[in-house]
């Protein structure tokens, strides 16, 4: 599944909603690995819930860190 276009721009209006929907969809439809390269200075409880759900379904989630050049790790 691809949520963002080739330049990293959301394919729809609300990228966070699309990302969350994609995580749930992948977890519910047999994904074994979800690879994400996302960057935001904000934390999202609903995104965390989606990640926790997928992890609980046995999905391995891989995510890049430091996309924004910030040295803080969340």
């Amino acid at each position: 599944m691809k949520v963002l276009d080739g330049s990293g721009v959301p394919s729809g209006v609300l990228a966070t909603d699309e990302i969350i929907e994609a995580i749930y969809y992948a977890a519910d439809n047999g994904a074994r690995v979800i690879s994400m390269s996302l960057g935001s200075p904000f934390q999202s409880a609903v995104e965390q819930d989606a990640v926790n759900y997928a992890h609980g379904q046995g999905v391995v989630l891989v995510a890049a860190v430091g996309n924004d050049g910030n040295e803080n790790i969340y």
Side-chain angles (χ1 to χ4, degrees):
M1 298 184 67
K2 188 173 184 179
V3 176
L4 306 178
D5 73 13
S7 62
V9 176
S11 58
V13 177
L14 298 173
T16 300
D17 289 346
E18 290 179 358
I19 293 165
I20 292 165
E21 188 175 320
I23 292 170
Y24 280 111
Y25 181 88
D28 287 340
N29 288 280
R32 293 177 156 184
V33 176
I34 297 175
S35 177
M36 302 175 288
S37 180
L38 309 170
S40 173
F42 306 104
Q43 294 184 358
S44 167
V46 290
E47 260 183 296
Q48 185 64 56
D49 290 344
V51 167
N52 291 345
Y53 175 80
H55 184 258
Q57 298 299 311
V59 177
V60 174
L61 294 106
V62 180
V65 297
N67 288 349
D68 61 3
N70 190 336
E71 292 184 20
N72 295 326
I73 297 177
Y74 302 99

